[in-house]
Amino acid sequence: MLATCIALPAVAQDWVTRELCAVTDAGIDSAALTDALLSELQPKADQIANGVGRFWRIESPTGAVSHLWGTFHSSNPLILDLPDAVEQAIADARVVALEIDPIRPNRAAIKEDLAYTGLLRQGGSATWQFQPENTGIPAEIIARVRERTEAMGWGAEAPDYLTLGGLANLLLYDACEDFVNGVIPIQDSRIQMLGMIAGAETLGLEPVDAFVEHLNAPANRRTALSLITLYGSYLEPAPGLRQTYFSLYLQGRVGLMMAFEENYVATQWGEDGLTHLDRTDAFMLDKRNLDFLATALPELEQGGVFMAVGAYHLPGPGGMVALLRKAGYTLTRMPLPGEAS
């Protein structure tokens, strides 16, 4: 999470420009998602349970009401412009529950950040180097990852010193956020801000360091390497891709977003890519959803919760909608203007 504190010199990733990042058109780019591909993917998306809809009403067995919202981790104005019904639900909330609460609770936590706890490898590059022979990651992706850490101000040699969890954490950050980092909030942070202004408490659904700690555990090394490989593979120019994902999100077609991503990975990297995607999703979505649920349930029993997690956490048999229903809650989709039916 320390990427928010790092200076951002323009030394690499020159293809990630303000122009590329400034999506203003909410329509699907036909070059990225052709009509033929859309026709192929839609039946797959239709098979994903709860794959349409970003906003859900949660009712507990005792009648307490809360809300579930699928976020998009971006500061683009199209994404920050929340529907009126969503903003009202935030304003009325007793608790705003987010994937993490990044606000540090005390000075000790700040000192821990400054010490890069969990991010730096003991012994640094003297004991290990981020190379294909040590990771199984293709050289092309290794080069992209080094370019990314250089662009973030860590230096191209940083992957030799970072733990796998620390490196994976850095790669989660969208390169387009480099231009506005620390100035314009991503949607999740704006939701937290609106909740705080309205007087709601903030609940982090997992500890802020849980992601890095999990991936640093030796037993989870394969998962960490898969996540680094997957996110490293995304570090390439892809005209129209960003606009298309925005469009599908604003239409509430989350299942189609997931099918589109799976197709992209398979096209670029074949079966190996799909293995990395499956392994990443098993941790990023399936495991973390169970952790989110365990944290949220005591508050959901009381009601008044606005629960905001990445949109990919909502659909599927292991998604938040299905898990809450299994826990005895009634989930009702709340359609929004512009969303698909």
Side-chain angles (χ1 to χ4, degrees), residues 22-33:
V23 175
T24 58
D25 184 349
I28 291 174
D29 189 310
S30 59
L33 181 56

Side-chain angles (χ1 to χ4, degrees), residues 274-315:
L274 292 176
T275 297
H276 293 307
L277 179 61
D278 289 344
R279 194 175 290 146
T280 296
D281 285 349
F283 162 57
M284 290 285 286
L285 302 180
D286 299 341
K287 179 193 180 301
R288 294 175 71 231
N289 279 350
L290 292 173
D291 294 340
F292 293 167
L293 181 69
T295 303
L297 281 178
E299 298 294 344
L300 292 172
E301 290 173 4
Q302 300 180 52
V305 178
F306 185 90
M307 186 174 178
V309 294
Y312 277 19
H313 289 276
L314 272 57

Side-chain angles (χ1 to χ4, degrees), residues 48-176:
I48 299 176
N50 311 308
V52 178
R54 298 172 291 165
F55 193 35
W56 298 77
R57 182 181 186 272
I58 308 171
E59 184 174 342
S60 76
T62 60
V65 174
S66 297
H67 292 89
L68 174 65
W69 170 250
T71 71
F72 196 121
H73 309 316
S74 171
S75 64
N76 184 280
L78 293 172
I79 303 301
L80 291 180
D81 186 16
L82 297 170
D84 291 343
V86 174
E87 291 209 7
Q88 188 60 56
I90 298 170
D92 294 341
R94 177 181 61 87
V95 173
V96 169
L98 305 157
E99 293 184 31
I100 62 166
D101 177 6
I103 296 176
R104 297 300 180 255
N106 49 48
R107 284 287 170 185
I110 296 174
K111 289 181 179 179
E112 189 172 332
D113 281 353
L114 295 175
Y116 302 114
T117 302
L119 298 186
L120 296 179
R121 181 181 296 276
Q122 291 186 354
S125 63
T127 58
W128 188 85
Q129 293 215 333
F130 185 67
Q131 298 293 354
E133 59 269 23
N134 295 328
T135 63
I137 298 176
E140 178 183 355
I141 294 180
I142 293 279
R144 292 181 191 176
V145 170
R146 289 188 181 279
E147 183 183 51
R148 179 69 188 128
T149 58
E150 183 179 14
M152 298 181 79
W154 286 83
E157 70 284 357
D160 299 327
Y161 295 86
L162 291 165
T163 62
L164 292 180
L167 180 57
N169 186 53
L170 291 185
L171 293 178
L172 293 184
Y173 288 88
D174 182 353
C176 283

